[in-house]
Amino acid sequence: MKIVLNRVFILLCFVVAAGLISVVACSSNNNQVNPVGTGGSGATAQGGAGGSQVEAGIGGTSGIAGSSGSAGQSDSGLDGTAGTTGSWPKGAGYGHVDSITHLINGAGSLVNLTHRSGQKTMDYTPSGNDPLDAGDGAGAPNTVPTIKSDQVKSEIWMPIIPYFSSPDLVDTYPPLVVIAKPNEVPVVLQPFTVAEAETEFSLTSPYVGKTVWSPHTVMVNGQKLAALTGLDMSLVHCSVGGGPVRHFLTSNGADKIFELFEDGTRQTLVSGLIAPSQMLCHPDGYLLVTTLPIWGCAYPEESVFGCENTGLKTPAKILKVTLDGTISEFATLPFDLKYPANQIPLSNWLRTTTDLMPQGWRYPMALKPDNSIVVGDQAGLAIMHVSGDGQTVEKVADMPALTSSAILAPNGFIYVISNMLMQEDGKTILTPPSIQVLDNDQWTTLQEIDGYQPFTDYLTSYMVGAPCAAQDGGLCLEPIGVLECIDFDDQNNLCIASSVKGSLDCFHLSFLEVADN
């Protein structure tokens, strides 16, 4: 179903960027990889790394999004050097925040942030399509976030999570995809009917009643609805063979990857996945998908609690998914749990009775210029590097606790959102979430993010202990399931979509050091 709204505000989970359009997944903009340039001079002003002027500058560093600038030299246009006025200049440090723009507020729970500029051109020839499985059900209430139209600088795609009515959980409002263009009426796609959404995203459970997603009340455009704690989505855009851009969606509640079409229909690319987390487009013509670690679940006759955790069953993995619909294992991440196992909130992954999934975890990815991969490992609190062939996996840095979102920006720095620390009472925030940057193997706080204190009742759903110096006795609490998302645009902005506050804020960076030329 395709719906045109009669208003010119909208949006959510996205970031503005020059050129084409948007991606939505919270391995952030790293889920989009860039069109391969031809090397040489690149584009001017905001360009970087070869390609046409429209594409240049969105992806100077091969899919990690774009180091901009006028010089695009070496590596077939994939590694442009810093520009003159530029976007994300290399050799100019990691920057500092000089201004903040508040784009969205009061939008419930935003779990995705990205834009459709700089998608990777895949070297792939389609061999056929799966049967179309379209959803054309009734529309939902107004769950489309609002934004000032003059803040939209390029085409934006945003997945909007499904909601329940609150507090009765009787009505289900299906997920949507919103497409926004500068100063144009937004388009809303509804690829799933209510019944299809409840099935495809495991919104209802035959085992535990309505849902295992721990609903919590949020205000969405002034409406009281129930968001589903821990439910995540990943949407990426891939330019296939230099042809039309294709859009792929998955969720940790789904066992499929769906291809979405701009007329509001969908089809299934693959099925049979277990707890997929985040996706990215690979330039060699396939998708890479992280999957969450899975614990086993048994039902001994003498148990009065039903399912009992039998321990780790499957570690987190990276899967290779071809556009012909085949799935293979690309890499396995070592499992080195840094938290007590009994503090991880596990719930039945709703497509089986024998698998337990960690709620509120996310494994973000980024593609490097050499096509190797950087992965954020929540279990091991580590930044992992995976070789381009998937054969070598090694830790390259520690990661701030329970980081749910990380990007490798075009300037070569890794930026993440760190979790908050709270007092033992679970009510007072001692240290708010912050943007942190990895510089010479050291994490530096770039900007603390405020506004979370009014939402502490929601945050107390799941807590784990964490050592800290701010509290007497050296113990704090960290909330689990804070699926904040970080992404960047081509104008030196780091943008944060908040699953807690329902907000989208962009932090503009200035780079004072002299860039390499």
Side-chain angles (χ1 to χ4, degrees):
M1 173 178 291
K2 181 175 180 180
I3 306 167
V4 178
L5 300 185
N6 57 3
R7 314 191 286 273
V8 185
F9 34 69
I10 61 189
L11 263 73
L12 167 149
C13 213
F14 53 81
V15 176
V16 283
L20 306 174
I21 333 175
S22 119
V23 182
V24 190
C26 213
S27 50
S28 82
N29 196 48
N30 306 320
N31 288 344
Q32 312 89 274
V33 279
N34 305 303
V36 178
T38 57
S41 62
T44 60
Q46 51 180 219
S52 69
Q53 184 171 1
V54 173
E55 297 166 340
I58 308 302
T61 55
S62 170
I64 311 297
S67 57
S68 77
S70 57
Q73 54 190 19
S74 82
D75 292 341
S76 298
L78 290 179
D79 192 12
T81 56
T84 54
T85 59
S87 294
W88 301 101
K90 290 185 176 179
Y94 52 75
H96 72 277
V97 175
D98 61 13
S99 62
I100 304 173
T101 301
H102 304 288
L103 297 181
I104 293 175
N105 286 295
S109 182
L110 308 188
V111 299
N112 285 272
L113 171 69
T114 188
H115 47 288
R116 180 187 149 178
S117 51
Q119 72 276 358
K120 189 66 174 183
T121 298
M122 289 181 164
D123 182 11
Y124 171 78
T125 301
S127 61
N129 290 323
D130 292 331
L132 186 67
D133 181 19
D136 58 355
N142 179 23
T143 59
V144 180
T146 59
I147 187 173
K148 295 178 180 179
S149 60
D150 59 1
Q151 297 289 346
V152 181
K153 305 201 184 296
S154 66
E155 185 173 336
I156 306 297
W157 285 55
M158 301 153 289
I160 297 174
I161 65 170
Y163 291 94
F164 286 146
S165 56
S166 179
D168 55 28
L169 309 182
V170 170
D171 296 320
T172 301
Y173 307 123
L176 306 173
V177 176
V178 175
I179 305 171
K181 299 179 183 180
N183 300 309
E184 292 189 15
V185 175
V187 173
V188 179
L189 307 182
Q190 185 189 317
F192 304 90
T193 66
V194 169
E196 289 168 342
E198 290 182 339
T199 299
E200 299 292 8
F201 297 97
S202 306
L203 303 185
T204 58
S205 168
Y207 312 115
V208 296
K210 180 67 175 179
T211 182
V212 300
W213 288 109
S214 302
H216 64 278
T217 299
V218 295
M219 297 300 294
V220 183
N221 298 325
Q223 305 163 106
K224 184 179 290 186
L225 299 176
L228 306 178
T229 304
L231 181 64
D232 200 8
M233 287 186 170
S234 177
L235 171 64
V236 297
H237 306 284
C238 309
S239 178
V240 179
V245 176
R246 296 174 65 176
H247 320 284
F248 301 100
L249 175 75
T250 193
S251 167
N252 58 352
D255 66 347
K256 298 175 183 176
I257 295 175
F258 304 99
E259 182 168 5
L260 305 182
F261 300 97
E262 297 187 31
D263 63 359
T265 59
R266 76 176 195 277
Q267 67 181 15
T268 298
L269 177 67
V270 295
S271 60
L273 302 176
I274 296 181
S277 180
Q278 299 296 295
M279 296 187 292
L280 62 77
C281 309
H282 195 280
D284 289 341
Y286 52 83
L287 297 171
L288 291 177
V289 186
T290 54
T291 61
L292 300 173
I294 295 294
W295 280 256
C297 178
Y299 298 84
E301 291 184 5
E302 65 276 10
S303 173
V304 296
F305 299 105
C307 168
E308 289 190 357
N309 180 2
T310 60
L312 183 72
K313 182 177 180 180
T314 306
K317 295 178 180 290
I318 302 176
L319 302 180
K320 175 182 176 180
V321 178
T322 71
L323 301 190
D324 291 325
T326 61
I327 304 171
S328 59
E329 184 175 317
F330 183 81
T332 297
L333 300 181
F335 188 77
D336 182 20
L337 186 63
K338 296 300 185 183
Y339 288 94
N342 61 1
Q343 293 192 31
I344 304 302
L346 299 175
S347 64
N348 280 101
W349 189 71
L350 299 183
R351 304 199 172 269
T352 71
T353 59
T354 58
D355 296 317
L356 293 172
M357 176 185 72
Q359 281 203 9
W361 279 19
R362 177 189 280 158
Y363 277 70
M365 285 187 293
L367 194 68
K368 296 184 68 176
D370 61 359
N371 286 343
S372 63
I373 301 159
V374 175
V375 183
D377 175 13
Q378 282 208 326
L381 300 180
I383 301 291
M384 309 298 292
H385 179 264
V386 181
S387 60
D389 59 5
Q391 298 301 305
T392 303
V393 181
E394 59 184 353
K395 176 180 174 180
V396 295
D398 291 324
M399 186 172 73
L402 290 179
T403 297
S404 64
S405 184
I407 59 167
L408 178 59
N411 59 1
F413 286 95
I414 294 175
Y415 299 85
V416 306
I417 305 176
S418 67
N419 204 1
M420 67 189 74
L421 291 175
M422 305 181 72
Q423 287 184 351
E424 286 185 276
D425 62 7
K427 296 292 185 182
T428 303
I429 297 174
L430 296 171
T431 304
S434 63
I435 303 172
Q436 298 200 22
V437 57
L438 184 63
D439 181 26
N440 294 322
D441 297 326
Q442 297 291 323
W443 290 102
T444 298
T445 298
L446 191 67
Q447 178 75 35
E448 290 189 345
I449 307 170
D450 59 17
Y452 287 85
Q453 188 62 51
F455 301 92
T456 53
D457 286 344
Y458 153 52
L459 297 172
T460 57
S461 298
Y462 295 116
M463 293 281 187
V464 295
C468 67
Q471 180 78 12
D472 290 341
L475 179 67
C476 292
L477 294 177
E478 285 184 292
I480 287 178
V482 180
L483 294 176
E484 312 302 74
C485 186
I486 187 171
D487 198 10
F488 57 88
D489 63 14
D490 68 333
Q491 300 179 38
N492 297 342
N493 287 299
L494 291 171
C495 297
I496 311 296
S498 174
S499 66
V500 176
K501 299 189 296 178
S503 62
L504 176 60
D505 301 315
C506 291
F507 301 80
H508 184 265
L509 302 187
S510 291
F511 299 92
L512 299 180
E513 299 178 22
V514 177
D516 296 333
N517 290 305

